[in-house]
Amino acid sequence: PHNSTYIPLMLSDSSIAFLKRLLDTPGPSGFEGAPARVWRAEAATFAADIRADVVGNSLATAEGDGTGPTILLAGHIDEIGIIITHIDDKGYVYFEPIGGWDPQVLVAQRIRFLGRHGDVIGVIGKKPIHLMKPDEREKASKITDLWVDIGVTTKAEALELLEVGDAGVIDSRTLDMPNNRLVSRSIDDRIGAFVVLEALRRYAARPGAARVVAAATAQEEIGYSGGGARVAAQSVEATMAIAVDVTFATDHPGMKKEEVGEHSIGGGPVLTRGSVTSPVVYRLLADTAKSLEIPFSIHAAGRFTSTDADAMQLARTGVATALVSIPNRYMHSPNEMVSLDDLDRAAELIAETCRRVTAATDFTAR
């Protein structure tokens, strides 16, 4: 890790309040409408050209002086969740995952469904351990072994509240923790959507040559063909792009730094070097971080990154793309944990990097 004496800037109270509203608003992949509206309302307080597209992306623009290229900043606003596949005669709800779940995480959780007349709370049921045979106790739960109980007694009663195709998320709320840390179920990657908008806010206050577009992208968690980021990179005609996502913090038990790298929450953003990222934009970010005395660590990606960066770098005739990640503990669980200092540093790094891009910037590695 590249250490420094950097003293974090303070995120404003209003920015932190917006972050918590964003994190607490349910929006799994394909159902991002509610958090997207929260994001666009905040963007409208300082940015121009706020819009949404048919895929579910939300975009906001800060114009430069008209001489520079367009830069796309992308953080996906969707989170993992579940979707109803069947409601039985007694009103029990069965489901399949939206995105990548460890089924053990779902056992005994509360679920908040996005019903057509409002939110519906349910609890995930499983056979009690007292009634399990010894061999059953040794087996990991599968999603097909679980159901959701919404407290009704008949299918008709359930159908007044929910129907097949309704989505849900784990019912949890954001928590403040010591040392400027934050816990939430939707940090992956609602905080990416937050960071790109915070970076745009800071860039708009002191713009450079580049036109910068922040995008809260849709469908990344299920985006096998690129999700909303592919559409955004195409539609805004970006020359350069920065994806902001989370990565695995390796400062807790059970992590192998030899395999994942050395990334600590509170240790600054993580910059990816690898086969799909632009060496030009990586160097621009790294040099800017050093000049601002912002600490960062490096993540090596030998193949794809499994983020929005993978799709954006191949849009149009190619987009010079970088990946900035926030170290995150306990990924894809109800209690993901990040540091507000890392969000602050990432936003400042991205805003200043955008200011250093001009019409003369050569994005081809020659």
Side-chain angles (χ1 to χ4, degrees), residues 158-219:
L159 289 173
E160 291 177 4
L161 303 171
L162 296 171
E163 60 187 338
V164 170
D166 284 341
V169 298
I170 286 179
D171 183 38
S172 65
R173 288 290 184 268
T174 301
L175 297 172
D176 293 306
M177 301 288 276
N179 298 306
N180 245 3
R181 293 170 181 181
L182 200 68
V183 165
S184 169
R185 63 160 206 283
S186 59
I187 276 168
D188 181 8
D189 179 40
R190 204 83 30 85
I191 55 108
F194 169 81
V195 166
V196 297
L197 194 59
E198 182 66 22
L200 190 76
R201 185 198 311 275
R202 298 181 190 196
Y203 181 81
R206 188 165 57 85
R211 171 180 176 258
V212 179
V213 181
T217 60
Q219 301 179 20

Side-chain angles (χ1 to χ4, degrees), residues 202-272:
R202 298 181 190 196
Y203 181 81
R206 188 165 57 85
R211 171 180 176 258
V212 179
V213 181
T217 60
Q219 301 179 20
E220 191 273 350
E221 293 292 353
I222 48 89
Y224 306 111
S225 60
R230 182 184 296 275
V231 174
Q234 184 84 19
S235 67
V236 306
E237 299 186 350
T239 300
M240 168 183 154
I242 299 174
V244 181
D245 212 312
V246 290
T247 193
F248 302 103
T250 57
D251 58 352
H252 62 83
M255 299 300 290
K256 286 189 174 291
K257 296 181 176 66
E258 299 87 351
E259 296 175 7
V260 189
E262 189 168 359
H263 315 301
S264 302
I265 67 170
V270 181
L271 307 184
T272 293

